[in-house]
Amino acid sequence: MSAPLSYAGKVVLVTGAGGGLGREYALAFGERGASVVVNDLGGDIKGGGKSSAAADKVVEEIKAKGGKAVANYDSVEDGEKLIQTALDTFGRIDILVNNAGILRDRSFARTSDLDWDLIHRVHLRGSFLVTRAAWNHMKNQKFGRIIMTSSAAGIYGNFGQANYSAAKLGLLGLANTLAIEGGKYNIHCNTIAPTAGSRLTQTVMPPDLLESLKAEYVAPLVLWLCHEECQENGGLFEVGAGWIGKLRWERTIGSIIRHKNQTMTPEEVRDKWDKICDFTNATKPATIQESLQTLVEVLSEVDTGGAIRASPTSALNSAASDISPAQAVGTVLPETTFNYTHMQCILYALGVGMSTKEPDHLKFLYEGHEDFSCLPTFAVIAAQASMMEGGLSTVPGLSFDPTRLLHGEQYLELYKPLPTSGTLTSKASIADILDKGSGAVILLDVHTYSKQELVCYSQFSVFIVGSGGFGGKRASDKAVPTVAAPNRAPDVVVVDETGRDQAALYRLSGDWNPLHIDPSFAAMGGFKSPILHGLCSFGFAARHVLKQYADNDVSRFKSIKVRFVKPVFPGQSLQTEMWKEGNRIHLLSKVKESGAVVLSGAYIDLHAAPDASVSTAPAQTGGLQSDLVFAEIGRRIKDLGAELVKKVNAIFGWEITKGGKTAAQWTIDLKTGSGALHEGPYTGKADVTFTVSDEDFMEVVTGKLNPQKAFFAGKLKVKGNIMMSQKLEIILKDYAKL
């Protein structure tokens, strides 16, 4: 036989302990070593009168058996006084059994305000006040066990007990919430609905039935639920006559009545009533998250005209039947487009922690910077639209609850630096589906294009909780693998503090999941507060490597692979540990404050640094369309140079690029003499220097692209006296006619 349960060192408060169930609990705890506060007001079953005799008698019984006990005669409405008795006498409070109660039975029509209020004051408000007084003590000591006493009348209803039933079901709601809030502090709260002989039942039950429903048949359940070994939390139990049963909610699959762009009518409810009430394949939601999951599916199905499917938890329709790799693998998802300007690039950089406090961050934050660039990891923003816009829900053979989707791993490979503005088109397909037992892994390949040119390739590895067990393979050669970091001390460690509003800022790049902003939604997910996006941590780590090993040169970034492990809370510090092995940088990301691993098996591959011995001279200019324009400008300056010098009075430098490299340089001197055009950079200091691609230069010259719009789009970069750029239009519009 297993060892007996002991409560030595624990302090227990039982309310309404002068008789019946409360007395039995107090005696049982006392016999097993607990110090017991026996509370009883000493009134009658209707709440009238007051006496110390009942509590004193139980205390004497406990002490007579060698136990420790003290009486308390306060009303449960004086909750602080009850807890103070425990603290003053025994120094702590560990276990609270809310048992006190009265009856004022009336048919609903005859129930007075007093009948209603007294019942709620004792049962519901009293339990609230005593529990609130104990809560912080339990929280601080990281231990607490609380029992709420409901009733069959509260669960099912009972004639003549509208007041009592309402209060008793209210206690269940209170207990369920306390179980959620207290769980992380090792405070467990459970509810019992006992049927036993007591002062409250002896007037409605015959003597022989009362004998079979002794209070001693209920106490063992209460003692077990209050023991430190018991991990039950948020449970509801019916108990009586030596039987114990646990209750849970059951819900029909139901029926969607609303249709897209149509009015919902009561006639449709009537016509679907049998289906609404059909418990075949019923679900059993245990949390508010599980309850809301159906509504998430409803919103999707209203758009597609579908119907609610049986829950993955249904005994007759397991989650395994919802995943069919044979149908899903190879499916091409709807194509998505992503339009952006320099503003989205800057917003993303801020979202992953860049700041004007760091001078080398400016090239990612200021569109006028001579080397303005887009962070390589911004590419995932365009690619993730394939998932964010509900693409997976359209795949045949993939039927799952979207609230059970977790982002497991991410791979990104760039084939060229991202443009700082433009339109990206993503084409996604299901590469493979793996069966991990506890869930399914979907490998989603996304190829992203700028016009017809492939810019990057992404692989999203998403885990669907509870959808495994369909008999599929566990591994795939199509999955980009993670790689363990070297078994040595890291070469470099970078610590970066996330801002309190980091998640609020990052979500503006397109991930609108309320888990990252709404405290109540985060609580439903089991988090104390909104968490940071995994791809935000991904961005932090990537820029740490880019700065440390590539001097923020985006052209050297090749690829990144990470596995997401644990969440980060905004305001925590991210610590990136890095190991260099050739052109591969292994990395491990942690929360500095807790040591919890955030990203593992991660690495970034870089392109080799340019050889310093290789010539960095500008590319040959042959074939540039802009050559013709500058030739025409030169001819006009010869004819009208003096007039231009008078109007402009400035020296302009031009850098024309092609394929991301400088292809030509020109100097327009409209400051000295009669003006001149020189090929090559100005030997002195130009008033203003423009950098623009050959293609965009022609767009500006031909009037298809406004210079100011080109500047704000990051296509035209300006260095020097930016006010001089206003005279650019004079030169191009009036003197560069082709």
Side-chain angles (χ1 to χ4, degrees), residues 140-185:
N140 292 337
Q141 68 197 18
K142 296 293 190 294
F143 179 83
R145 296 292 185 266
I146 301 168
I147 299 293
M148 296 292 180
T149 305
S150 186
S151 166
I155 299 169
Y156 308 110
N158 192 33
F159 184 86
Q161 292 191 309
N163 52 357
Y164 182 75
S165 300
K168 285 302 189 184
L169 193 58
L171 283 166
L172 176 60
L174 173 60
N176 288 343
T177 296
L178 294 183
I180 294 169
E181 294 188 13
K184 60 186 173 184
Y185 303 108

Short mmCIF file of all heavy atoms in Angstrom, two decimals, residues 140-185:
data_model
loop_
_atom_site.label_atom_id
_atom_site.label_comp_id
_atom_site.label_asym_id
_atom_site.label_seq_id
_atom_site.Cartn_x
_atom_site.Cartn_y
_atom_site.Cartn_z
N ASN A 140 2.88 34.29 -2.63
CA ASN A 140 4.24 34.57 -2.19
C ASN A 140 4.99 33.31 -1.78
O ASN A 140 6.21 33.21 -1.97
CB ASN A 140 4.24 35.58 -1.04
CG ASN A 140 3.78 36.96 -1.49
OD1 ASN A 140 3.87 37.30 -2.67
ND2 ASN A 140 3.28 37.75 -0.56
N GLN A 141 4.27 32.34 -1.20
CA GLN A 141 4.93 31.11 -0.76
C GLN A 141 4.94 30.03 -1.85
O GLN A 141 5.44 28.94 -1.64
CB GLN A 141 4.26 30.56 0.51
CG GLN A 141 2.84 30.04 0.29
CD GLN A 141 2.05 29.90 1.59
OE1 GLN A 141 2.42 30.49 2.61
NE2 GLN A 141 0.99 29.12 1.56
N LYS A 142 4.37 30.37 -3.02
CA LYS A 142 4.33 29.45 -4.17
C LYS A 142 3.63 28.13 -3.82
O LYS A 142 4.00 27.07 -4.32
CB LYS A 142 5.75 29.18 -4.68
CG LYS A 142 6.47 30.40 -5.25
CD LYS A 142 5.80 30.86 -6.53
CE LYS A 142 6.64 31.93 -7.23
NZ LYS A 142 6.76 33.18 -6.48
N PHE A 143 2.59 28.20 -3.03
CA PHE A 143 1.78 27.02 -2.73
C PHE A 143 0.42 27.46 -2.19
O PHE A 143 0.32 28.35 -1.35
CB PHE A 143 2.45 26.11 -1.70
CG PHE A 143 1.60 24.90 -1.37
CD1 PHE A 143 1.63 23.78 -2.18
CD2 PHE A 143 0.74 24.91 -0.28
CE1 PHE A 143 0.83 22.67 -1.90
CE2 PHE A 143 -0.07 23.81 0.01
CZ PHE A 143 -0.03 22.69 -0.81
N GLY A 144 -0.59 26.78 -2.67
CA GLY A 144 -1.94 27.01 -2.16
C GLY A 144 -2.89 25.98 -2.74
O GLY A 144 -2.74 25.55 -3.89
N ARG A 145 -3.84 25.54 -1.92
CA ARG A 145 -4.89 24.64 -2.40
C ARG A 145 -6.23 25.21 -1.93
O ARG A 145 -6.40 25.52 -0.73
CB ARG A 145 -4.69 23.22 -1.85
CG ARG A 145 -3.41 22.53 -2.33
CD ARG A 145 -3.48 22.22 -3.81
NE ARG A 145 -2.32 21.46 -4.27
CZ ARG A 145 -1.24 22.00 -4.80
NH1 ARG A 145 -1.15 23.33 -4.93
NH2 ARG A 145 -0.25 21.24 -5.22
N ILE A 146 -7.15 25.37 -2.87
CA ILE A 146 -8.44 26.00 -2.57
C ILE A 146 -9.56 25.10 -3.06
O ILE A 146 -9.50 24.57 -4.17
CB ILE A 146 -8.54 27.38 -3.25
CG1 ILE A 146 -7.41 28.31 -2.78
CG2 ILE A 146 -9.91 28.02 -2.98
CD1 ILE A 146 -7.27 29.58 -3.61
N ILE A 147 -10.57 24.93 -2.23
CA ILE A 147 -11.76 24.17 -2.60
C ILE A 147 -12.96 25.11 -2.58
O ILE A 147 -13.18 25.84 -1.61
CB ILE A 147 -12.03 23.00 -1.62
CG1 ILE A 147 -10.86 22.02 -1.63
CG2 ILE A 147 -13.34 22.30 -1.97
CD1 ILE A 147 -10.67 21.27 -2.93
N MET A 148 -13.72 25.11 -3.68
CA MET A 148 -15.00 25.79 -3.74
C MET A 148 -16.10 24.74 -3.66
O MET A 148 -15.98 23.67 -4.29
CB MET A 148 -15.15 26.59 -5.03
CG MET A 148 -14.16 27.73 -5.19
SD MET A 148 -14.43 29.06 -4.00
CE MET A 148 -13.12 30.19 -4.49
N THR A 149 -17.16 25.04 -2.93
CA THR A 149 -18.25 24.09 -2.78
C THR A 149 -19.45 24.52 -3.61
O THR A 149 -20.13 25.49 -3.29
CB THR A 149 -18.65 23.94 -1.30
OG1 THR A 149 -17.49 23.58 -0.54
CG2 THR A 149 -19.71 22.85 -1.15
N SER A 150 -19.68 23.81 -4.70
CA SER A 150 -20.85 24.04 -5.54
C SER A 150 -21.94 23.06 -5.13
O SER A 150 -21.96 22.59 -4.00
CB SER A 150 -20.47 23.88 -7.02
OG SER A 150 -21.55 24.24 -7.86
N SER A 151 -22.80 22.75 -6.06
CA SER A 151 -23.92 21.87 -5.72
C SER A 151 -24.55 21.34 -7.00
O SER A 151 -24.43 21.96 -8.07
CB SER A 151 -24.97 22.66 -4.92
OG SER A 151 -26.19 21.96 -4.85
N ALA A 152 -25.22 20.19 -6.88
CA ALA A 152 -25.97 19.68 -8.03
C ALA A 152 -27.03 20.69 -8.46
O ALA A 152 -27.34 20.81 -9.65
CB ALA A 152 -26.64 18.35 -7.66
N ALA A 153 -27.54 21.46 -7.50
CA ALA A 153 -28.52 22.49 -7.85
C ALA A 153 -27.89 23.56 -8.73
O ALA A 153 -28.53 24.12 -9.62
CB ALA A 153 -29.08 23.12 -6.58
N GLY A 154 -26.61 23.85 -8.51
CA GLY A 154 -25.92 24.84 -9.33
C GLY A 154 -25.63 24.31 -10.72
O GLY A 154 -25.69 25.05 -11.70
N ILE A 155 -25.33 23.01 -10.81
CA ILE A 155 -24.99 22.42 -12.10
C ILE A 155 -26.24 22.17 -12.94
O ILE A 155 -26.27 22.46 -14.14
CB ILE A 155 -24.23 21.10 -11.89
CG1 ILE A 155 -22.92 21.37 -11.13
CG2 ILE A 155 -23.93 20.43 -13.23
CD1 ILE A 155 -22.23 20.12 -10.65
N TYR A 156 -27.27 21.63 -12.31
CA TYR A 156 -28.46 21.20 -13.07
C TYR A 156 -29.70 22.06 -12.83
O TYR A 156 -30.65 22.00 -13.60
CB TYR A 156 -28.81 19.75 -12.70
CG TYR A 156 -27.64 18.80 -12.81
CD1 TYR A 156 -27.05 18.25 -11.68
CD2 TYR A 156 -27.12 18.47 -14.06
CE1 TYR A 156 -25.98 17.37 -11.78
CE2 TYR A 156 -26.05 17.58 -14.17
CZ TYR A 156 -25.48 17.04 -13.02
OH TYR A 156 -24.42 16.18 -13.14
N GLY A 157 -29.68 22.85 -11.74
CA GLY A 157 -30.88 23.60 -11.36
C GLY A 157 -31.77 22.75 -10.47
O GLY A 157 -31.72 21.52 -10.50
N ASN A 158 -32.61 23.41 -9.65
CA ASN A 158 -33.51 22.68 -8.77
C ASN A 158 -34.67 23.60 -8.37
O ASN A 158 -34.46 24.77 -8.07
CB ASN A 158 -32.77 22.20 -7.51
CG ASN A 158 -33.58 21.20 -6.72
OD1 ASN A 158 -34.34 20.41 -7.29
ND2 ASN A 158 -33.43 21.23 -5.41
N PHE A 159 -35.86 23.07 -8.40
CA PHE A 159 -37.03 23.87 -8.07
C PHE A 159 -36.89 24.47 -6.67
O PHE A 159 -36.50 23.81 -5.71
CB PHE A 159 -38.30 23.02 -8.12
CG PHE A 159 -39.55 23.81 -7.87
CD1 PHE A 159 -40.20 24.46 -8.92
CD2 PHE A 159 -40.07 23.94 -6.58
CE1 PHE A 159 -41.34 25.21 -8.68
CE2 PHE A 159 -41.20 24.70 -6.34
CZ PHE A 159 -41.85 25.34 -7.40
N GLY A 160 -37.24 25.75 -6.56
CA GLY A 160 -37.23 26.43 -5.27
C GLY A 160 -35.87 26.92 -4.84
O GLY A 160 -35.71 27.43 -3.73
N GLN A 161 -34.86 26.79 -5.71
CA GLN A 161 -33.50 27.19 -5.31
C GLN A 161 -32.83 28.08 -6.37
O GLN A 161 -31.65 27.94 -6.65
CB GLN A 161 -32.64 25.94 -5.05
CG GLN A 161 -33.08 25.14 -3.83
CD GLN A 161 -32.07 24.08 -3.45
OE1 GLN A 161 -31.65 23.28 -4.28
NE2 GLN A 161 -31.69 24.06 -2.17
N ALA A 162 -33.57 29.00 -6.92
CA ALA A 162 -33.00 29.90 -7.93
C ALA A 162 -31.83 30.69 -7.35
O ALA A 162 -30.78 30.85 -7.99
CB ALA A 162 -34.07 30.85 -8.46
N ASN A 163 -32.00 31.19 -6.14
CA ASN A 163 -30.94 31.98 -5.49
C ASN A 163 -29.71 31.12 -5.20
O ASN A 163 -28.58 31.49 -5.50
CB ASN A 163 -31.46 32.64 -4.21
CG ASN A 163 -32.15 31.65 -3.27
OD1 ASN A 163 -32.30 30.45 -3.56
ND2 ASN A 163 -32.58 32.15 -2.10
N TYR A 164 -29.95 29.96 -4.65
CA TYR A 164 -28.88 29.03 -4.28
C TYR A 164 -28.17 28.50 -5.53
O TYR A 164 -26.94 28.43 -5.58
CB TYR A 164 -29.52 27.89 -3.48
CG TYR A 164 -28.56 26.84 -2.95
CD1 TYR A 164 -27.74 27.10 -1.86
CD2 TYR A 164 -28.51 25.57 -3.53
CE1 TYR A 164 -26.90 26.13 -1.35
CE2 TYR A 164 -27.67 24.59 -3.04
CZ TYR A 164 -26.87 24.88 -1.95
OH TYR A 164 -26.03 23.90 -1.45
N SER A 165 -28.94 28.12 -6.57
CA SER A 165 -28.36 27.59 -7.80
C SER A 165 -27.44 28.61 -8.47
O SER A 165 -26.35 28.27 -8.95
CB SER A 165 -29.46 27.18 -8.77
OG SER A 165 -30.29 26.19 -8.22
N ALA A 166 -27.90 29.87 -8.53
CA ALA A 166 -27.10 30.91 -9.18
C ALA A 166 -25.78 31.13 -8.45
O ALA A 166 -24.72 31.26 -9.07
CB ALA A 166 -27.90 32.21 -9.23
N ALA A 167 -25.83 31.16 -7.12
CA ALA A 167 -24.61 31.36 -6.34
C ALA A 167 -23.66 30.18 -6.50
O ALA A 167 -22.44 30.36 -6.63
CB ALA A 167 -24.96 31.57 -4.87
N LYS A 168 -24.20 28.97 -6.50
CA LYS A 168 -23.36 27.77 -6.57
C LYS A 168 -22.68 27.63 -7.94
O LYS A 168 -21.54 27.19 -8.02
CB LYS A 168 -24.20 26.53 -6.26
CG LYS A 168 -24.53 26.38 -4.77
CD LYS A 168 -23.27 26.32 -3.91
CE LYS A 168 -23.55 25.95 -2.46
NZ LYS A 168 -22.31 26.00 -1.65
N LEU A 169 -23.38 27.99 -9.01
CA LEU A 169 -22.72 27.94 -10.31
C LEU A 169 -21.72 29.09 -10.45
O LEU A 169 -20.69 28.95 -11.11
CB LEU A 169 -23.75 27.99 -11.45
CG LEU A 169 -23.18 27.63 -12.83
CD1 LEU A 169 -22.56 26.24 -12.83
CD2 LEU A 169 -24.26 27.72 -13.90
N GLY A 170 -22.01 30.20 -9.81
CA GLY A 170 -21.06 31.32 -9.79
C GLY A 170 -19.74 30.91 -9.17
O GLY A 170 -18.66 31.34 -9.61
N LEU A 171 -19.80 30.05 -8.16
CA LEU A 171 -18.58 29.57 -7.51
C LEU A 171 -17.72 28.75 -8.48
O LEU A 171 -16.49 28.79 -8.43
CB LEU A 171 -18.93 28.72 -6.29
CG LEU A 171 -19.34 29.51 -5.04
CD1 LEU A 171 -19.99 28.60 -4.01
CD2 LEU A 171 -18.13 30.22 -4.44
N LEU A 172 -18.38 28.01 -9.36
CA LEU A 172 -17.63 27.24 -10.35
C LEU A 172 -16.88 28.16 -11.29
O LEU A 172 -15.70 27.93 -11.61
CB LEU A 172 -18.59 26.34 -11.14
CG LEU A 172 -17.96 25.54 -12.29
CD1 LEU A 172 -16.87 24.61 -11.77
CD2 LEU A 172 -19.03 24.76 -13.04
N GLY A 173 -17.53 29.22 -11.76
CA GLY A 173 -16.85 30.17 -12.63
C GLY A 173 -15.68 30.84 -11.93
O GLY A 173 -14.61 31.03 -12.52
N LEU A 174 -15.87 31.19 -10.66
CA LEU A 174 -14.79 31.79 -9.87
C LEU A 174 -13.62 30.82 -9.76
O LEU A 174 -12.45 31.20 -9.96
CB LEU A 174 -15.32 32.17 -8.48
CG LEU A 174 -14.29 32.67 -7.46
CD1 LEU A 174 -13.59 33.93 -7.95
CD2 LEU A 174 -14.96 32.92 -6.11
N ALA A 175 -13.92 29.57 -9.45
CA ALA A 175 -12.86 28.57 -9.29
C ALA A 175 -12.09 28.35 -10.58
O ALA A 175 -10.86 28.22 -10.57
CB ALA A 175 -13.47 27.25 -8.81
N ASN A 176 -12.79 28.30 -11.70
CA ASN A 176 -12.12 28.07 -12.98
C ASN A 176 -11.12 29.18 -13.30
O ASN A 176 -10.03 28.93 -13.82
CB ASN A 176 -13.15 27.96 -14.10
CG ASN A 176 -13.94 26.67 -14.04
OD1 ASN A 176 -13.54 25.71 -13.38
ND2 ASN A 176 -15.07 26.62 -14.72
N THR A 177 -11.50 30.41 -13.01
CA THR A 177 -10.60 31.53 -13.27
C THR A 177 -9.42 31.53 -12.31
O THR A 177 -8.28 31.80 -12.70
CB THR A 177 -11.36 32.87 -13.19
OG1 THR A 177 -12.34 32.91 -14.23
CG2 THR A 177 -10.42 34.05 -13.35
N LEU A 178 -9.67 31.21 -11.03
CA LEU A 178 -8.57 31.15 -10.07
C LEU A 178 -7.59 30.05 -10.45
O LEU A 178 -6.38 30.18 -10.24
CB LEU A 178 -9.12 30.89 -8.66
CG LEU A 178 -9.98 32.01 -8.05
CD1 LEU A 178 -10.37 31.66 -6.62
CD2 LEU A 178 -9.23 33.34 -8.06
N ALA A 179 -8.09 28.96 -11.02
CA ALA A 179 -7.20 27.88 -11.46
C ALA A 179 -6.26 28.38 -12.55
O ALA A 179 -5.07 28.02 -12.57
CB ALA A 179 -8.03 26.70 -11.97
N ILE A 180 -6.76 29.20 -13.44
CA ILE A 180 -5.94 29.75 -14.52
C ILE A 180 -4.92 30.74 -13.96
O ILE A 180 -3.72 30.68 -14.26
CB ILE A 180 -6.82 30.44 -15.58
CG1 ILE A 180 -7.70 29.41 -16.29
CG2 ILE A 180 -5.96 31.20 -16.59
CD1 ILE A 180 -8.77 30.01 -17.17
N GLU A 181 -5.37 31.67 -13.12
CA GLU A 181 -4.48 32.71 -12.60
C GLU A 181 -3.48 32.17 -11.58
O GLU A 181 -2.37 32.68 -11.47
CB GLU A 181 -5.31 33.83 -11.98
CG GLU A 181 -6.16 34.60 -12.99
CD GLU A 181 -6.82 35.83 -12.38
OE1 GLU A 181 -6.43 36.23 -11.26
OE2 GLU A 181 -7.72 36.39 -13.02
N GLY A 182 -3.87 31.13 -10.86
CA GLY A 182 -3.01 30.63 -9.79
C GLY A 182 -2.05 29.54 -10.20
O GLY A 182 -1.09 29.25 -9.48
N GLY A 183 -2.29 28.94 -11.37
CA GLY A 183 -1.49 27.79 -11.77
C GLY A 183 0.00 28.01 -11.74
O GLY A 183 0.76 27.17 -11.25
N LYS A 184 0.46 29.14 -12.23
CA LYS A 184 1.91 29.38 -12.31
C LYS A 184 2.52 29.64 -10.93
O LYS A 184 3.75 29.64 -10.80
CB LYS A 184 2.19 30.55 -13.25
CG LYS A 184 1.56 31.88 -12.86
CD LYS A 184 1.80 32.90 -13.96
CE LYS A 184 1.05 34.19 -13.69
NZ LYS A 184 1.19 35.17 -14.79
N TYR A 185 1.67 29.85 -9.92
CA TYR A 185 2.17 30.03 -8.55
C TYR A 185 1.95 28.79 -7.69
O TYR A 185 2.10 28.84 -6.47
CB TYR A 185 1.49 31.24 -7.90
CG TYR A 185 1.66 32.53 -8.66
CD1 TYR A 185 0.60 33.10 -9.35
CD2 TYR A 185 2.90 33.16 -8.71
CE1 TYR A 185 0.76 34.28 -10.06
CE2 TYR A 185 3.07 34.34 -9.42
CZ TYR A 185 2.00 34.90 -10.08
OH TYR A 185 2.17 36.06 -10.79
#
